[in-house]
Amino acid sequence: MSLYQNLYQSLEPLLGAKTQSILEEGVRRLGVDPDRLDVGQAESILKRLVYRELQANRSPAEARGLVDSLLKELREQAGTEVGGGLAALESGFKRFSLYLDWPEVARLRGILSVLRKEPEGAEASRMLREGQELLQQLEERLQSALLRQTRDIADLQAVFERVKMIGGPKIRRLDSLIRQIQEAHSGETLAQAEVERARTLAAELRKLVESSAISAPRNATEPALFVEDEDEPVVAA
């Protein structure tokens, strides 16, 4: 039985009917053949897609416990140890290097700097283990943030549907921001600045729609109002 099949059997009691679609999405993102899935790739699927899905109806702590148990089982089956050395740590760090304000990222960068100079010895082994633990913490933090970003996208889309009839450059800007966030999200990347800008713009547009400054057309033949930038007047046909 292949690793992919073993993983499927382990996940099915937890994910039910979603198991196949989640695993298929995982191997698609990795660009690998399911029959050639290795332990490192399986771990990536567990830490990203499976961990996030488990949080849909479990606490983060419970989801983490289940993933940790599955990871241990995978490693035992493959006869491998945790880790992969400095190269694996370097590779894992690239995924999080964008998030400069996260203290775990700063600490991991410091560990890598030390390990590049002194890759051997007892202290290097200790720091390597710490780095591996930091990678796990960062993955969990990112997946939790991606869950919040999923909700942000849904909220922004709901506002956009409500206000899009007024037209104008601000509506186009909001639409563009939502698309940028969705594109980043599809690559499991946080678009924090874009989310904040979209929230601010969405709140402004929602207030405009709710205020008396924008009135509904007097009859069905009248065009919608257009909300222009601050330095341009609101024009009604």
Side-chain angles (χ1 to χ4, degrees):
M1 185 179 294
S2 69
L3 178 58
Y4 183 90
Q5 291 170 322
N6 281 331
L7 193 57
Y8 187 99
Q9 289 187 351
S10 297
L11 290 174
E12 192 172 25
L14 301 173
L15 303 178
K18 293 184 177 181
T19 304
Q20 183 172 347
S21 62
I22 289 173
L23 287 179
E24 287 177 349
E25 174 65 13
V27 295
R28 186 193 65 78
R29 292 189 184 189
L30 293 170
V32 298
D33 187 310
D35 292 333
R36 296 183 179 180
L37 188 72
D38 63 30
V39 173
Q41 293 162 342
E43 287 189 14
S44 178
I45 294 173
L46 286 171
K47 291 178 179 179
R48 300 182 188 183
L49 301 181
V50 173
Y51 178 70
R52 192 191 311 172
E53 182 62 32
L54 288 173
Q55 286 190 80
N57 51 21
R58 295 172 176 85
S59 69
E62 186 180 359
R64 178 181 181 179
L66 289 169
V67 168
D68 285 345
S69 177
L70 289 166
L71 286 171
K72 183 179 179 181
E73 182 181 335
L74 271 180
R75 290 164 182 155
E76 288 175 350
Q77 289 173 355
T80 58
E81 297 296 327
V82 177
L86 179 58
L89 210 60
E90 293 268 17
S91 178
F93 176 73
K94 291 178 183 178
R95 177 167 162 78
F96 307 101
S97 58
L98 292 173
Y99 311 114
L100 301 176
D101 57 333
W102 291 8
E104 299 94 334
V105 171
R107 175 57 183 161
L108 186 53
R109 182 183 289 107
I111 287 174
L112 286 169
S113 178
V114 172
L115 287 175
R116 290 183 192 116
K117 297 174 183 176
E118 299 289 341
E120 304 293 337
E123 180 62 14
S125 296
R126 185 196 67 79
M127 297 191 78
L128 185 60
R129 288 193 298 272
E130 182 184 350
Q132 291 160 355
E133 292 172 0
L134 283 169
L135 277 182
Q136 177 68 22
Q137 293 170 20
L138 283 165
E139 189 63 57
E140 292 172 5
R141 179 169 181 174
L142 178 58
Q143 293 305 325
S144 295
L146 286 168
L147 277 175
R148 292 193 296 273
Q149 187 164 268
T150 298
R151 294 191 288 269
D152 288 334
I153 291 171
D155 291 343
L156 289 168
Q157 287 178 319
V159 174
F160 178 76
E161 289 300 318
R162 183 178 177 185
V163 303
K164 66 180 181 181
M165 79 291 293
I166 64 179
K170 289 186 177 180
I171 294 297
R172 294 192 293 273
R173 195 178 309 154
L174 178 58
D175 185 32
S176 175
L177 284 168
I178 292 174
R179 291 177 186 275
Q180 290 175 45
I181 298 165
Q182 289 173 323
E183 183 177 354
H185 192 77
S186 67
E188 292 194 304
T189 301
L190 299 179
Q192 298 161 307
E194 289 80 3
V195 168
E196 287 305 314
R197 287 198 291 270
R199 281 176 176 167
T200 300
L201 186 55
E204 179 183 346
L205 289 166
R206 187 172 60 243
K207 287 179 182 178
L208 283 171
V209 169
E210 293 170 352
S211 72
S212 58
I214 299 181
S215 303
R218 288 184 296 275
N219 59 64
T221 63
E222 292 186 16
L225 296 178
F226 286 85
V227 180
E228 304 295 336
D229 288 327
E230 286 81 353
D231 56 350
E232 297 180 12
V234 175
V235 179

